[in-house]
Amino acid sequence: MHAAKPTLNDLFADAFARYLTVRPTGIQLPHGSLCPSLAAAILACRPARTLYQNKQPVCRSLDGIQSLQEARACASCLLRKSCTPQIYLELLADGVPYRLLLAYSSARNFMLFASELRARQQPLENAQVIISVRDRGRWGELRFISPAAESPQ
């Protein structure tokens, strides 16, 4: 089987993407500022997995198939059941590419958002979204809103 050639979008995202961090009070950008919400375009969405030990990531897969740290397939890994299933998003906000890993309730909220787009027959790729954070005390839960859905009718 031949590996797929990366697209210009893939090369761009890999070269310049920065990870966003979710805090209870907002989304932390890589340069340190905290914003309560973020308007962005969704460039890509795919499954991911992260293995945590002592609350630190020790292994990660951004496709749910192959580990980034080792030449090991997730399907044959003995620690797979200990991994946290996630959704990996590539976003573009203000012309800057970002990466965001979603788990648990934030992933569920994203899947609800994606199903709402499908119901309106809108593609997920390049969809505009406003991402906000709901303070859950020690963690932040992301909410996803289509800018068209929030405007008055």
Side-chain angles (χ1 to χ4, degrees):
M1 183 179 346
H2 297 287
K5 288 185 179 180
T7 65
L8 184 57
N9 187 35
D10 294 334
L11 295 172
F12 175 71
D14 286 343
F16 299 105
R18 297 150 180 94
Y19 282 95
L20 297 173
T21 304
V22 179
R23 303 283 183 216
T25 55
I27 300 167
Q28 187 170 7
L29 301 174
H31 51 55
S33 64
L34 197 66
C35 47
S37 65
L38 182 71
I42 299 169
L43 300 177
C45 164
R46 58 184 170 256
R49 303 187 76 76
T50 301
L51 176 63
Y52 293 96
Q53 290 178 351
N54 299 321
K55 300 183 181 183
Q56 297 296 314
V58 294
C59 185
R60 177 166 286 152
S61 169
L62 295 182
D63 60 7
I65 298 171
Q66 185 73 33
S67 169
L68 294 174
Q69 286 79 6
E70 303 172 21
R72 179 171 48 180
C74 293
S76 63
C77 179
L78 299 176
L79 299 173
R80 179 177 171 84
K81 290 185 179 183
S82 301
C83 287
T84 301
Q86 298 173 311
I87 296 175
Y88 166 71
L89 295 179
E90 291 180 7
L91 304 168
L92 188 65
D94 294 325
V96 178
Y98 292 105
R99 290 179 173 171
L100 182 59
L101 287 167
L102 308 175
Y104 305 116
S105 58
S106 293
R108 182 192 67 227
N109 291 343
F110 178 77
M111 296 307 292
L112 289 170
F113 171 76
S115 66
E116 290 170 7
L117 287 180
R118 276 193 301 275
R120 294 193 308 252
Q121 298 182 346
Q122 295 177 333
L124 188 57
E125 188 172 292
N126 296 316
Q128 298 298 309
V129 62
I130 297 172
I131 305 169
S132 61
V133 179
R134 178 180 288 161
D135 187 343
R136 295 292 189 190
R138 296 179 58 185
W139 55 280
E141 177 183 345
L142 294 178
R143 298 179 65 206
F144 300 85
I145 302 164
S146 175
E150 78 164 1
S151 57
Q153 297 181 352

